[in-house]
């Protein structure tokens, strides 16, 4: 799918001072490129009935999570996000402040969409992200110092029958795997949140698309006691 008609913004952290330069993609490391691709694969694969992108209150934030890195989602639409969810102690939280993907789906949504190369997909995504302004975020009311602009490695996306793009494609977006896809966005990792309640807030602007988000995170202690 050519995503030029849909800006997808996902809950994450941004730098607290918008005038500070974000780190360039060359500084972000291969792991960030891999994680941004994995973030989309996670988001694409979850049915819309339980997809965190469509979750109004945070009840689905644990869906599809595993391992040492957990993803947080924002919204498919401009507006306000207010969510409360639980995460285990010790995980790394990975989020985009705001991002944009392009996915090659010839003949599907819109039906006239031709095959597109990685270079073409990247150009459209970069043009959108070049227009982002007003990045800001706080963790427990303390500004996050920096974010990274990350251009993902090319990836494939696999969608269930009950997928999140049916509403944007007149009810026709067949289940299956589509490729290639690319992402361009502003991302951060957050580590070291101790047990208890923490607040993440963020804001980003891209033209008339504004995202205003707050996450109340209940970080749950994890027992490391070994018993016989």
């Amino acid at each position: 799918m050519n995503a030029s008609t849909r800006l997808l913004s996902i809950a994450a952290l941004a730098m607290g001072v918008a005038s500070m330069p974000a780190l360039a993609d060359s500084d972000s490391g291969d792991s960030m490129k891999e994680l941004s691709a994995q973030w989309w694969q996670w988001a694409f694969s979850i049915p819309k009935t339980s997809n965190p992108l469509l979750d109004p209150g945070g009840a689905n934030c644990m869906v599809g999570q595993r391992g040492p890195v957990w993803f947080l989602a924002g919204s498919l639409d401009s507006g306000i996000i207010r969510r409360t969810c639980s995460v285990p102690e010790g995980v790394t939280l990975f989020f985009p402040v705001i991002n944009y993907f392009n996915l090659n789906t010839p003949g599907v949504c819109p039906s006239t969409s031709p095959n597109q190369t990685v270079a073409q997909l990247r150009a459209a995504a970069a043009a959108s992200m070049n227009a982002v302004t007003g990045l800001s975020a706080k963790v427990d009311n303390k500004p996050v110092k920096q974010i990274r602009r990350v251009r993902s490695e090319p990836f494939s996306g696999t969608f269930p029958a009950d997928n999140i793009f049916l509403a944007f494609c007149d009810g026709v977006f067949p289940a299956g795997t589509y490729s290639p896809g690319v992402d361009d966005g502003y991302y951060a990792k957050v580590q070291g949140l101790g047990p208890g309640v923490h607040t993440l807030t963020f804001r980003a602007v891209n033209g008339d698309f504004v995202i205003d988000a707050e996450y109340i995170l209940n970080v749950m202690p994890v027992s490391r006691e070994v018993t016989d």
Side-chain angles (χ1 to χ4, degrees):
M1 176 167 60
N2 186 330
S4 60
T5 60
R6 173 61 52 177
L7 178 67
L8 302 184
S9 179
I10 294 83
L13 303 178
M15 65 179 66
V17 181
S19 61
M20 293 176 60
L23 296 181
D25 184 48
S26 60
D27 298 321
S28 65
D30 290 342
S31 65
M32 297 284 277
K33 296 178 181 180
E34 294 170 0
L35 282 171
S36 62
Q38 291 168 13
W39 191 97
W40 279 113
Q41 292 172 324
W42 167 76
F44 291 155
S45 69
I46 302 171
K48 64 186 179 76
T49 51
S50 58
N51 197 293
L53 281 166
L54 305 179
D55 183 4
N60 295 326
C61 70
M62 76 293 295
V63 175
Q65 309 282 11
R66 62 183 177 85
V69 178
W70 277 40
F71 300 134
L72 293 182
S75 175
L76 296 175
D77 296 307
S78 179
I80 296 172
I81 299 169
R82 297 291 183 265
R83 292 185 178 134
T84 299
C85 63
S86 296
V87 300
E89 177 189 10
V91 298
T92 294
L93 301 175
F94 182 77
F95 333 64
V97 183
I98 190 167
N99 66 355
Y100 189 104
F101 81 95
N102 262 341
L103 182 64
N104 185 51
T105 60
V108 178
C109 190
S111 60
T112 57
S113 176
N115 268 304
Q116 297 182 79
T117 66
V118 168
Q120 290 171 321
L121 296 168
R122 285 200 189 282
S128 177
M129 287 297 96
N130 289 342
V132 170
T133 61
L135 297 171
S136 65
K138 294 182 180 181
V139 180
D140 295 334
N141 208 36
K142 297 179 180 179
V144 176
K145 294 181 179 180
Q146 59 187 216
I147 58 171
R148 291 179 169 90
R149 182 164 178 178
V150 180
R151 296 170 179 86
S152 76
E153 60 184 16
F155 60 88
S156 62
T158 299
F159 296 79
D162 180 28
N163 65 72
I164 58 177
F165 295 116
L166 291 173
F168 305 118
C169 298
D170 297 323
V172 180
F173 192 84
T177 298
Y178 301 89
S179 181
V182 300
D183 168 76
D184 194 329
Y186 292 89
Y187 285 85
K189 292 180 182 179
V190 173
Q191 299 169 297
L193 292 180
V197 179
H198 299 271
T199 302
L200 308 182
T201 60
F202 71 92
R203 180 179 171 85
V205 178
N206 192 323
D208 61 358
F209 189 100
V210 179
I211 196 75
D212 180 353
E214 178 182 84
Y215 264 79
I216 305 300
L217 296 175
N218 295 308
V219 179
M220 309 304 294
V222 176
S223 175
R224 294 174 175 81
E225 181 180 359
V226 178
T227 58
D228 294 331

